[in-house]
Amino acid sequence: MADSDLTSAGRQPRSNAWQTALTTLQEAEPPFIPAGAHAMTVVIEYPPGDPGTPPHRHSGPAFGYVLEGEMLLELEGEPERVVRAGEAFWEAGGDVIHYQDGNNRDDVRLRFTVTMLCAPGQPMLTLVDDDELARRRDRRAPRPS
């Protein structure tokens, strides 16, 4: 390397890679985030075939990205869908029931990361009981046969 390739601090000059390094995975307009909310970023790992978390809701929006495997995702009012490694997902949170986030494959693990925004004074995740699921069954999209 020639001396002209170094900055005055002895480092290589900054490349221009940052100008093309960004890839947008998703854009969303989340609901209003109240003052005092906090965020949490987690990695979730499910073994092959694991059904994931029982039906639940998040107090605020959640934004995720599948790192490995395939997630079977189902949110209230939407048909279930498969989110594959390299794909992003999000949910509005609040009153919306999150029915499924399990591993869609029985031969590989599922790993995904999620950043959740939590409403002040509320838990990040609340399980939904069977009575509420029964009362709201009309809000669930038809299931594949």
Side-chain angles (χ1 to χ4, degrees):
M1 176 181 331
D3 287 341
S4 62
D5 291 340
L6 299 176
T7 65
S8 60
R11 296 185 307 264
Q12 288 186 333
R14 184 177 305 274
S15 77
N16 291 328
W18 67 270
Q19 295 172 334
T20 58
L22 178 109
T23 300
T24 301
L25 298 174
Q26 69 178 336
E27 289 188 42
E29 292 186 27
F32 173 75
I33 307 301
H38 70 277
M40 175 188 297
T41 300
V42 298
V43 173
I44 309 290
E45 297 185 33
Y46 293 137
D50 193 277
T53 308
H56 61 278
R57 62 173 47 95
H58 299 284
S59 63
F63 302 86
Y65 181 80
V66 177
L67 301 165
E68 295 178 48
E70 297 179 358
M71 174 198 299
L72 184 60
L73 177 68
E74 183 185 1
L75 304 173
E76 190 171 58
E78 299 178 14
E80 63 184 30
R81 64 187 172 103
V82 175
V83 184
R84 293 175 173 78
E87 296 178 345
F89 60 93
W90 87 284
E91 65 180 276
D95 192 44
V96 175
I97 295 176
H98 184 152
Y99 287 99
Q100 297 186 68
D101 66 356
N103 191 338
N104 191 50
R105 303 268 307 261
D106 61 7
D107 60 337
V108 296
R109 73 178 176 167
L110 167 64
R111 286 184 68 235
F112 59 97
T113 184
V114 181
T115 298
M116 298 175 279
L117 300 175
C118 184
Q122 294 185 22
M124 194 66 74
L125 181 145
T126 304
L127 295 180
V128 177
D129 65 33
D130 290 339
D131 289 339
E132 184 176 3
L133 289 174
R135 285 192 311 272
R136 294 171 70 134
R137 70 178 162 262
D138 62 319
R139 299 182 191 188
R140 191 169 189 180
R143 310 286 314 279
S145 47

